[in-house]
Amino acid sequence: MDTEQIFILAGGSLGLFFALLLLTAQKYRSPANQYLAWALIILVVVLLKVSAVVEYFFLSELFEFFRIEYLLPVFLYLYVCAALKEAVPQKTILSLLGPFLFFSTVHTLLSVADWLDYHRIGEYLEVVEPFELVVMAIFLCFVVALYTLKVKRSNARFGFKKWIYFNSSMLVLLMLSWLIIDVVEIVLGWDYWAFLWMGVAVFLIGLTYFGVQQLTLEEERSNIKAIYGKKKNPVLKSRRQPSTLHFERIQQLMKEEEIFRDPHLNRERLAATLGLSPGTITRVLKEDGGVNFNEFVDSYRIQLAKRMLEDERFHVFSLEAIGREVGFRSRSTFYATFKKQTGLTPGAYKNK
């Protein structure tokens, strides 16, 4: 077994493992994860199909008839919509299934009609397959762009958006690489397919690793919310007593609604909530709180993080999960801000 086959089998095995985890584990079962699992299964089958790993199996010819490649972007689209809690009209689903139904029907009818004359089918495929590959690339890029824009315009968490952006970019890159390698083979006769299959396998390995990590983090966040509930955060002591109604309203939003836990909170969002301008927010916080916007919000976040680190019920959760729960986008930002305000890292503070 060569290196290429090792990568392919490793990627396919891990992809199937992650898919089965989403399909069978009760704590991860959800409509969104079900769609993601089937998208992974399709990607694994496509990898095995195009890399000729399944060419010796008796069902390998069925993979040539049914163009399951077109189902991958469909299930990814359904996954994103389910994750965003958006219903998908039946007309949209039928439209997305159009290329799969059309090309599968064409290949099946031709194969049945010319079953006794395989050479004619081979000649047809040599002409049609390059054209079909272009159609497939356009279709995948179109659907990926469609659901990526949907995610960008939504109020989804930053972590979920980053997850979608990464996967979308990798899928488009792999599809374009597929096109380029096919053109290079036709024009120059060079065969670089092994590198593409290894790239897909590595993508599956990375997708599985980060996917399990993402599920673990989501589970920790859910458990943290179940323990924390709606407990109020203590009032941030400003350097001066509030002297304006605006400052009191900002403090109320922080204490009662805990808007600081939104990782996308910025001056513009806070100003829109209060019906003020961003400049007014900056002036009020500077005059009545003696701090800038980031210092003000981070103070609430760090106070809540300290309470969670001191509470034994949260000791089973990772520091990254706690940082994201209080509103930080990344672990590095959480660590840097926590050390700046307390003089200790979150881990050292927890141990102390």
Side-chain angles (χ1 to χ4, degrees):
M1 183 178 294
D2 56 22
T3 305
E4 176 192 350
Q5 291 180 325
I6 293 175
F7 269 99
I8 291 172
L9 292 176
S13 300
L14 287 175
L16 287 177
F17 163 76
F18 188 38
L20 292 175
L21 179 67
L22 295 175
L23 288 172
T24 58
Q26 187 64 35
K27 58 185 177 182
Y28 299 138
R29 294 185 66 181
S30 68
N33 285 342
Q34 301 293 297
Y35 290 128
L36 179 59
W38 284 110
L40 279 172
I41 292 173
I42 291 171
L43 184 58
V44 170
V45 174
V46 170
L47 172 63
L48 298 178
K49 169 188 171 182
V50 296
S51 60
V53 173
V54 298
E55 65 179 342
Y56 300 110
F57 290 87
F58 72 98
L59 292 178
S60 61
E61 292 185 0
L62 291 178
F63 293 119
E64 297 298 329
F65 303 156
F66 298 103
R67 317 304 283 179
I68 61 173
E69 298 91 332
Y70 295 99
L71 292 179
L72 175 62
V74 176
F75 277 99
L76 289 175
Y77 181 85
L78 294 175
Y79 160 67
V80 170
C81 291
L84 297 177
K85 310 296 187 205
E86 292 187 7
V88 183
Q90 290 186 351
K91 291 183 178 180
T92 302
I93 297 177
L94 291 176
S95 299
L96 294 176
L97 290 175
F100 165 74
L101 297 174
F102 175 76
F103 284 105
S104 295
T105 302
V106 169
H107 280 264
T108 302
L109 291 177
L110 285 172
S111 299
V112 172
D114 296 333
W115 189 267
L116 299 178
D117 188 0
Y118 182 78
H119 296 290
R120 290 181 58 188
I121 300 176
E123 294 173 0
Y124 166 80
L125 292 178
E126 288 180 359
V127 176
V128 171
E129 281 189 347
F131 166 75
E132 187 181 350
L133 184 59
V134 174
V135 174
M136 188 188 307
I138 294 174
F139 177 66
L140 184 140
C141 293
F142 169 75
V143 178
V144 167
L146 197 64
Y147 69 68
T148 302
L149 288 175
K150 185 183 291 289
V151 170
K152 183 177 180 181
R153 294 170 181 172
S154 70
N155 294 323
R157 293 184 301 99
F158 177 75
F160 177 73
K161 288 187 175 182
K162 185 169 65 173
W163 163 263
I164 294 297
Y165 295 157
F166 169 76
N167 293 334
S168 301
S169 302
M170 288 302 300
L171 282 173
V172 172
L173 178 62
L174 290 172
M175 192 70 246
L176 294 178
S177 300
W178 192 341
L179 271 177
I180 293 172
I181 291 175
D182 191 57
V183 172
V184 168
E185 183 183 37
I186 293 174
V187 176
L188 301 177
W190 297 345
D191 185 358
Y192 290 107
W193 292 108
F195 294 101
L196 178 63
W197 313 147
M198 291 174 63
V200 177
V202 171
F203 170 65
L204 276 168
I205 294 172
L207 187 65
T208 304
Y209 172 76
F210 289 111
V212 172
Q213 186 182 54
Q214 183 82 1
L215 288 177
T216 303
L217 185 59
E218 283 298 320
E219 183 184 9
E220 289 185 342
R221 286 173 57 89
S222 300
N223 293 333
I224 286 174
K225 290 179 180 179
I227 294 176
Y228 181 74
K230 284 293 185 178
K231 293 181 180 179
K232 305 303 179 185
N233 195 41
V235 179
L236 173 68
K237 295 181 180 179
S238 62
R239 299 178 187 177
R240 293 185 293 178
Q241 293 295 322
S243 58
T244 67
L245 178 61
H246 293 325
F247 188 69
E248 292 176 352
R249 291 173 62 194
I250 294 174
Q251 284 188 313
Q252 184 179 14
L253 286 174
M254 295 292 172
K255 291 181 292 183
E256 297 184 2
E257 299 188 20
E258 297 180 340
I259 62 172
F260 61 87
R261 296 172 70 179
D262 178 5
H264 303 291
L265 180 65
N266 53 29
R267 286 191 315 156
E268 288 70 21
R269 287 197 174 192
L270 180 58
T273 301
L274 296 172
L276 304 173
S277 67
T280 301
I281 297 294
T282 300
R283 178 179 57 80
V284 167
L285 292 178
K286 190 66 177 177
E287 292 179 356
D288 299 318
V291 292
N292 60 36
F293 177 81
N294 290 333
E295 292 172 341
F296 181 77
V297 175
D298 287 345
S299 296
Y300 278 93
R301 290 172 174 169
I302 296 302
Q303 283 195 21
L304 176 56
K306 288 166 62 178
R307 289 182 59 198
M308 296 173 70
L309 291 172
E310 294 167 0
D311 192 332
E312 292 184 357
R313 294 177 299 175
F314 295 101
H315 286 182
V316 297
F317 302 117
S318 67
L319 297 177
E320 181 182 2
I322 292 177
R324 291 186 183 276
E325 184 61 30
V326 300
F328 289 101
R329 292 191 180 187
S330 65
R331 180 172 60 179
S332 59
T333 304
F334 173 48
Y335 275 48
T337 306
F338 194 96
K339 187 172 184 179
K340 180 180 178 181
Q341 294 199 17
T342 65
L344 297 171
T345 64
Y349 187 89
K350 177 181 177 180
N351 294 332
K352 179 181 177 181

